[in-house]
Amino acid sequence: MRFHFSPKTPLFSLSSSSITSLCLRPFLPSAPKSPFYPSLACHASTGGNLRMDSTSPDPSSSSSVSVDSVADGLKNQSLREHDISNNNNMNNENKKNNGKLSLEDLNWDHSFVRELPGDPRSDSIPRQVFHACYTKVLPSAEVENPKLVAWSDSVADLLDLDPKEFERPDFPLKFSGASPLAGAVPYAQCYGGHQFGTWAGQLGDGRAITLGEIMNSKLERWELQLKGAGKTPYSRFADGLAVLRSSIREYLCSEAMHFLGIPTTRALCLVTTGKFVTRDMFYDGNLKDEPGAVVCRVSQSFLRFGSFQIHASRGGEDLGIVRSLADYAIRHHFPHIENMSKSESLSFSTGDNDQSVVDLTSNKYAAWTVEIAERTASLVARWQGVGFTHGVLNTDNMSILGLTIDYGPFGFLDAFDPSYTPNVTDLPGRRYCFANQPDIGLWNIAQFASTLMTANLISDQEANYAMERYGAKFMDDYQAILSQKVGLQKYNKQLVNKLLSNLAVDKVDYTNFFRALSNIKADPSIPGDELLVPLKAVLLDIGKERKEAWTSWVQSYIQELVASGISDEERKASMNSVNPKYVLRNYLCQSAIDAAEMGDFEEVRRLLKVMERPYDEQPRMEKYARLPPAWAYRPGVCMLSCSS
């Protein structure tokens, strides 16, 4: 199979089935065959035959880094480590009795602005920003009696921040951006991206302003970012603000995904601005004034695929920025790759006829690309496992760290529907529907690999190998997750395929079904008319024919359980540790939003507490595991737009 693509106009020559076809589409006839999703073949082995031809322009000589710049980088790194050490010593003396820090004592480090090229201008006038990774810009959102309405003690712990700081009267002012935070150096990042498969050019942080990086006592780096804090040069025609509705969703889902065990950005706090923001939620001309808010997002890095794409697309001297940005990312977020040696023998055959070999120890950028591909594949597999649909998998929404990032019109599956998309703007082609996510992940990796090829950082063979590893890693992780969900030690393709087909036909609730499945006993003597009793609460309104189909499946399933030799009690505990009872269903979010817009934030806080223990039974909280009520299917609840 051959790939033909460039950063701007990706074109694919298709020859075989997609990743999705290996895990969903063959036995789910309802899944759409969108003209948008790439049908790319990847197989769960390292000896596949993925070939790619690039039509990208030849890199210019500016892609190389000068000796002086390397020397300066090493010098800065040495100075930074010295400064951090001194700061740690000083802060150890300033720590409070509980070992936590005040806002003034946080350990700031600003490696991104120190080590990468910046915009010489610092105004927020919308414009094209060239030859720069960021623009220094101050938060500018207007506030009127801002209030802290939700916060995360666990995120505060990541930063070594004393949770008592949330009680400070000036805390809402600082985290709405109205009052400067001591030590911060605010900036907005420049990046581009493919949106719905089309190159969109410069995008950037249009309403997110990074305050800087915090180094905690474990020397972990955490970026703080205010989303909804005002205009930046990347705001285009928007106002740089965020509404309470979308801010609550991002705040809650960031934390919910973390406690599900899925890599994600985090959220420290949510602050209302006291001002209203005008929005057209469904892009239908019906404007509405909504309460404004700012959410403080936290991540080890907010670098995206698009952070590299924008510079490669511009060519010329900007190709050197791609290399500098890659060096920065490896140095700070993939240091194990920087320290690789030939003795590790990371050489792999590509499976091509000429027996070409990819040696990851000879090119750190190739090893880095492969790791990003595998992290992305693992992330998407985990999404599929819990029924999460991101909704807007543009390349500017793809983290190089393999994190779930940018929570817009996301949604968890209720009734199992592979064609489900929570995004109204995605309805025509359902490019980003649940079933397409594995393919889209690979498509995005292909664009990222093309970017690095354009900058002459990796070869076409290395790019092919990274995409091959995506396919292998996704299938390995996906099959392992599905096996765990049904309580089996080995993947049974036929059993799982039939199960997913049954779920789709009868529109069974995805989350509740797998939770109930753990109640099945490994007892082949159970009478046929009693086999479905443990699933009675989730198999609703099915006729005689469908009952027979389910009974047949349960009989096959029990045979597998008996063969596994695992006790019912052990299997139930294991299954319940991977099948959540509680997920952040859209109607739960909407209930919290409705109350919050009336000034009552207790439901937001209560919902967060429930989502912090998704795998526990949580007596008296069962209502949060119920199926969506009828009102949940009205426009604006289970189908959302990007307007926020």
Side-chain angles (χ1 to χ4, degrees), residues 529-541:
D529 59 354
E530 296 179 14
L531 287 174
L532 300 185
V533 171
L535 303 177
K536 183 178 180 180
V538 293
L539 297 182
L540 305 174
D541 302 322

Side-chain angles (χ1 to χ4, degrees), residues 191 227 250 265 297 304 390 396-397 404-408:
Y191 51 82
K227 186 173 181 178
E250 173 134 16
T265 57
R297 306 198 297 185
R304 308 130 185 279
H390 184 281
D396 56 297
N397 294 338
T404 315
I405 190 172
D406 290 338
Y407 292 93

